[in-house]
């Protein structure tokens, strides 16, 4: 299971509990229980971004994957199966 997160303003699906930065998410297909677990993991990752900075600049300006993956984002399951648009990659 993988989720591609991209910072955005306006209509977002989740927000950082520290700075309030919003994110849209592109998901691999998964059950409701798996999505709930993924949301918990995303919040942990967003919190970890703030080890070096308190504001929204702590988060990557490009999309990032949860769980982290070393390959190109465009080839991730979340990007492909979640139908991520090119602006999110």
């Amino acid at each position: 299971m993988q989720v591609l997160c991209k910072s955005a303003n306006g209509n977002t699906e989740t927000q950082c509990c520290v700075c309030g930065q919003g994110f849209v998410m592109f998901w691999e297909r998964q059950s409701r229980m798996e999505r709930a677990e993924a949301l918990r993991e995303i919040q942990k990752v967003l919190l970890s971004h703030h080890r070096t900075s308190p504001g929204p600049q702590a988060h990557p300006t490009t999309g990032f994957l949860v769980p982290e993956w070393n390959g190109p984002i465009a080839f991730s399951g979340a990007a492909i199966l979640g139908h991520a648009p090119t602006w999110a990659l």
Side-chain angles (χ1 to χ4, degrees):
M1 164 190 57
Q2 200 170 53
V3 181
L4 170 60
C5 301
K6 173 72 175 157
S7 62
N9 296 318
N11 192 15
T12 59
E13 298 170 274
T14 193
Q15 291 151 345
C16 176
C17 62
V18 175
C19 68
Q21 174 64 54
F23 295 87
V24 292
M25 299 178 290
F26 302 93
W27 305 76
E28 288 182 21
R29 179 169 279 165
Q30 53 195 297
S31 71
R32 190 173 284 177
M33 187 173 14
E34 288 173 319
R35 285 176 74 97
E37 177 60 30
L39 282 170
R40 287 189 288 276
E41 289 301 313
I42 290 166
Q43 285 301 319
K44 288 179 187 175
V45 170
L46 294 175
L47 183 61
S48 75
H49 291 163
H50 287 285
R51 290 184 183 144
T52 58
S53 179
Q57 68 276 12
H59 303 292
T61 55
T62 60
F64 61 95
L65 294 166
V66 177
E68 191 174 331
W69 186 53
N70 290 329
I73 288 178
F75 297 127
S76 70
I80 294 168
L81 298 173
H83 305 289
T86 55
W87 62 263
L89 302 175

